[in-house]
Amino acid sequence: MPAGPRLRCNEAMALYLVGTASWTDKSLIECGRFYPRKSMSAEQRLRHYASHFPMVEVDSSYYAIPDPHTAQLWAERTPQGFEFNVKAFRLFTGHPASPAVLHPDIRRALGPHAPAQLHYRQLPPEIRDELWRRFLDALAPLQAAGKLTAVHFQFAPWVVRNAEGIEHVAACARRMAGQLMAVEFRHASWFAGEHAAATLAFERELGVVHTVVDAPQGFANTVPAIWEATRRELSILRLHGRNRATWNVQGATRAADRFNYLYTDEELAALVPPLHALGRHADKVHVIFNNNMEDQGQVCARRMTELLGPSAPVAGG
């Protein structure tokens, strides 16, 4: 079955690929509105998703490094031309992780007294190296199939714009040499005042893709939408919803509370002109909906495709 529409607004502008962050969220499956049956297999779900949208962001790789065989199956179960962005493993982006999500041999190497929550800086250098090696190995099947577009690094809110934060981001870029790396910041310091221009210059120097973020504003752990392209190959708009009331509620579940937001037609339509402007500086634009309560992301992705579509022929398909 062919992938969803690939939209090009005109010859001078980018190819627009619209999709969602993940295709396997529990509430998406249980709502029963996007997938024909709740009992579908993993293969059937991915094939169904890929019949509606031309790209997806792999979210599960944030929680644990996937097995290369799993990535091979993703490549095999999607049509030619389908694209994946893969989210970087959480330890690399400053988030803590339980030893339970690591490979058994790495858990053994850490020993019986490893802390309940690991942090990247606490890991011995040889274990850091091994985690990077395995993560890159997991990407290889998608890359070999020509279906890996970018690896997305969503840095933790406590990765701030200081000497330590700048060096950590640069170190990740060095590790990802040879891959297209996208960067998303979650602390306001990166784009506050005069830092905005310096951060964009830093991204260009590293050769990473700047991520335009749509999220609630006015919090230390959100950044404004900076509509700039730092790589000709790709720009990304990533949409988290605008639910201010639940953005920082303690204990809120990821899908059910923080990202519970259905964009209105007016809100989506207002994003089309800046997307067109962004596309004048990039060959391709990914529009990724991370509002993942039930089928909200899929509903918004379909509507955004419609809004982008009338001014463009359908390319690919």
Side-chain angles (χ1 to χ4, degrees):
M1 209 174 278
R6 299 160 64 88
L7 308 174
R8 191 183 298 276
C9 290
N10 60 48
E11 290 303 318
M13 297 176 73
L15 182 70
Y16 291 84
L17 277 66
V18 184
T20 65
S22 178
W23 67 95
T24 59
D25 280 315
K26 183 179 180 182
S27 70
L28 170 63
I29 295 168
E30 290 184 347
C31 80
R33 288 189 292 273
F34 179 68
Y35 291 114
R37 303 183 312 280
K38 293 182 182 180
S39 60
M40 294 174 75
S41 66
E43 177 176 357
Q44 289 171 328
R45 287 193 189 103
L46 181 52
R47 290 189 185 278
H48 179 80
Y49 175 94
S51 72
H52 288 269
F53 301 106
M55 68 81 55
V56 75
E57 178 186 282
V58 177
D59 193 46
S60 58
S61 51
Y62 167 81
Y63 297 98
I65 295 175
D67 186 275
H69 177 66
T70 301
Q72 180 64 42
L73 292 177
W74 294 336
E76 293 173 358
R77 292 169 178 175
T78 49
Q80 185 177 3
F82 190 86
E83 299 188 17
F84 288 88
N85 288 353
V86 176
K87 201 170 180 183
F89 180 46
R90 58 186 302 152
L91 278 174
F92 302 155
T93 55
H95 297 86
S98 166
V101 306
L102 302 179
H103 300 85
D105 61 325
I106 293 181
R107 292 201 302 269
R108 289 193 295 271
L110 288 170
H113 303 298
Q117 289 293 305
L118 298 170
H119 293 268
Y120 185 77
R121 65 180 179 272
Q122 298 172 326
L123 296 173
E126 62 274 15
I127 288 183
R128 292 187 199 178
D129 291 344
E130 184 60 16
L131 288 172
W132 280 105
R133 187 190 68 77
R134 295 187 188 194
F135 181 68
L136 292 170
D137 280 352
L139 301 176
L142 289 177
Q143 190 172 30
K147 293 185 176 183
L148 176 64
T149 300
V151 184
H152 187 81
F153 282 69
Q154 181 184 291
F155 289 100
W158 41 90
V159 178
V160 302
R161 196 183 190 284
N162 58 18
E164 182 181 1
I166 288 170
E167 172 51 32
H168 181 70
V169 175
C172 289
R174 290 192 293 271
R175 295 276 191 173
M176 294 301 297
Q179 303 279 355
L180 188 59
M181 173 178 167
V183 168
E184 178 180 348
F185 294 112
R186 281 289 186 90
H187 192 271
S189 62
W190 290 94
F191 295 106
E194 70 278 3
H195 289 165
T199 295
L200 288 167
F202 173 58
E203 291 176 315
R204 291 187 174 105
E205 179 185 354
L206 293 181
V208 300
V209 175
H210 167 71
T211 300
V212 182
V213 178
D214 189 274
Q217 294 299 293
F219 301 102
N221 61 344
T222 60
V223 297
I226 306 292
W227 293 89
E228 292 281 347
T230 57
R231 288 287 296 254
R232 185 74 212 183
E233 299 95 317
L234 178 70
S235 280
I236 295 174
L237 169 63
R238 204 159 178 266
L239 302 104
H240 300 291
R242 300 174 181 178
N243 195 336
R244 290 181 54 84
T246 60
W247 186 256
N248 281 326
V249 172
Q250 293 297 314
T253 58
R254 181 177 63 92
D257 292 305
R258 182 176 234 192
F259 303 118
N260 181 0
Y261 191 82
L262 186 65
Y263 285 87
T264 67
D265 279 2
E266 292 75 17
E267 289 170 328
L268 294 176
L271 294 169
V272 172
L275 275 169
H276 285 176
L278 188 66
R280 296 188 183 99
H281 303 282
D283 296 329
K284 186 184 299 179
V285 178
H286 283 179
V287 182
I288 303 167
F289 286 89
N290 190 43
N291 52 327
N292 50 15
M293 174 64 174
E294 298 184 347
D295 62 340
Q296 289 176 343
Q298 286 70 28
V299 169
C300 290
R302 283 170 169 163
R303 183 60 182 137
M304 179 60 83
T305 300
E306 293 169 355
L307 289 168
L308 288 169
S311 62
V314 173

